Amino acid sequence: MPELPEVEVVRISLDTIICGLKIKNVDILNKKLRYIISANVKKDLKKQKIISVKRRAKFLLVNIDNNKTLLIHLGMTGKIFILDRTKKVTFKTSFYYYSNFLRKHNHLRIKFFNNLELIYNDVRKFGFIKLIKTNDLNNHSNLLNLGPEPLSKSFNFKYLKFKCLKSQKNIKNFLMDQKYVAGLGNIYVNEILFKSSINPRKITFKLKDFEICAIVKNTKKILKKSIKEGGSSIRDFKGTSGQDGYFQQSLMVYDRENQSCKKKTCKGKIKKINIGNRSSFFCKNCQK
DNA sequence: AGGCATGTTACAGG
DNA sequence: ACCTGTAACATGCC
């Protein structure tokens, strides 16, 4: 599912539901993910309490009270469900509609003493779950080379200009690269460049100051808006009552090939091109 | 049937 | 040692 806003929506939801809960048991239903789920996950989580749920880029960090952290990445199709086993008919789902046909892709189940269950489900198996020592977190290979959080103060004009001047990349690939700014993915980068009226193929050192400024401003604006609306940079996103995510309805360019540009004064059509093996959508008219 | 899909990373070549 | 681009991972949908 996930780019930064979706992961943040999951984080907020988990943080309010599972903090303080004590783990009764863990079942590894299918250990085959991007990395094999270690048997230690089952052993080390048992009887432990959840302290907090944090996020770094697209990673979820579930802090456990034995100085360990469960590092979760949702890959392309990872989903987390919370089920309420005290309710016999309807399950409590936190962000997705839980349906039976999804069950074959369940990988991990954490049962809590209060009868809530957390389920990690992943169709394409690009996600992963690792248990690591909390103290080693910052030096862990998956987190080591991440750039600043786009919503933090360190992602600002001065920083971005400095990095843009030193890079030969096009701006599309630059913003997708987690070492420059961490948490953006294909959909949001398309949307950010449209809103900033910048052609995705433009080389970063050629960007004008006002364009760099626009990227910073629009990145924060778009991410915040999407988090507020519940995130949904995914085709199969369903809210808790089955409705489409709001952000999906407000995508300006992504997946809109040949449709007309949504800017009122523009009559251009959205084009689709390939940049670095990923689809880029943009309006030729607005993004010169 | 074949192409495409929200992400990451190992690898080859410059 | 750095940078850049490509292929690979697994499954489902159109």
PDB file of all heavy atoms in Angstrom, chain A residues 58 160 191 286:
ATOM      1  N   LYS A  58       9.323   4.998   5.396  1.00  0.00           N
ATOM      2  CA  LYS A  58       8.182   4.094   5.235  1.00  0.00           C
ATOM      3  C   LYS A  58       8.259   2.907   6.184  1.00  0.00           C
ATOM      4  O   LYS A  58       7.564   1.917   6.008  1.00  0.00           O
ATOM      5  CB  LYS A  58       8.114   3.590   3.783  1.00  0.00           C
ATOM      6  CG  LYS A  58       7.989   4.697   2.748  1.00  0.00           C
ATOM      7  CD  LYS A  58       8.187   4.184   1.333  1.00  0.00           C
ATOM      8  CE  LYS A  58       8.358   5.347   0.369  1.00  0.00           C
ATOM      9  NZ  LYS A  58       8.819   4.908  -0.962  1.00  0.00           N
ATOM     10  N   LEU A 160      17.726  21.342   0.397  1.00  0.00           N
ATOM     11  CA  LEU A 160      17.394  20.798  -0.922  1.00  0.00           C
ATOM     12  C   LEU A 160      18.232  21.454  -2.024  1.00  0.00           C
ATOM     13  O   LEU A 160      18.694  20.790  -2.952  1.00  0.00           O
ATOM     14  CB  LEU A 160      15.896  20.975  -1.206  1.00  0.00           C
ATOM     15  CG  LEU A 160      15.374  20.223  -2.431  1.00  0.00           C
ATOM     16  CD1 LEU A 160      15.613  18.722  -2.305  1.00  0.00           C
ATOM     17  CD2 LEU A 160      13.883  20.499  -2.637  1.00  0.00           C
ATOM     18  N   GLU A 191       2.670  13.727  -7.983  1.00  0.00           N
ATOM     19  CA  GLU A 191       1.752  14.773  -7.544  1.00  0.00           C
ATOM     20  C   GLU A 191       2.500  16.049  -7.124  1.00  0.00           C
ATOM     21  O   GLU A 191       2.075  17.163  -7.424  1.00  0.00           O
ATOM     22  CB  GLU A 191       0.895  14.258  -6.374  1.00  0.00           C
ATOM     23  CG  GLU A 191      -0.037  13.110  -6.742  1.00  0.00           C
ATOM     24  CD  GLU A 191      -1.087  13.510  -7.783  1.00  0.00           C
ATOM     25  OE1 GLU A 191      -1.730  14.557  -7.625  1.00  0.00           O
ATOM     26  OE2 GLU A 191      -1.249  12.758  -8.772  1.00  0.00           O
ATOM     27  N   CYS A 286       1.645  22.370 -18.331  1.00  0.00           N
ATOM     28  CA  CYS A 286       1.931  22.994 -17.031  1.00  0.00           C
ATOM     29  C   CYS A 286       3.361  22.738 -16.558  1.00  0.00           C
ATOM     30  O   CYS A 286       3.880  23.481 -15.738  1.00  0.00           O
ATOM     31  CB  CYS A 286       1.008  22.446 -15.954  1.00  0.00           C
ATOM     32  SG  CYS A 286      -0.728  22.724 -16.233  1.00  0.00           S
TER      33      CYS A 286
END
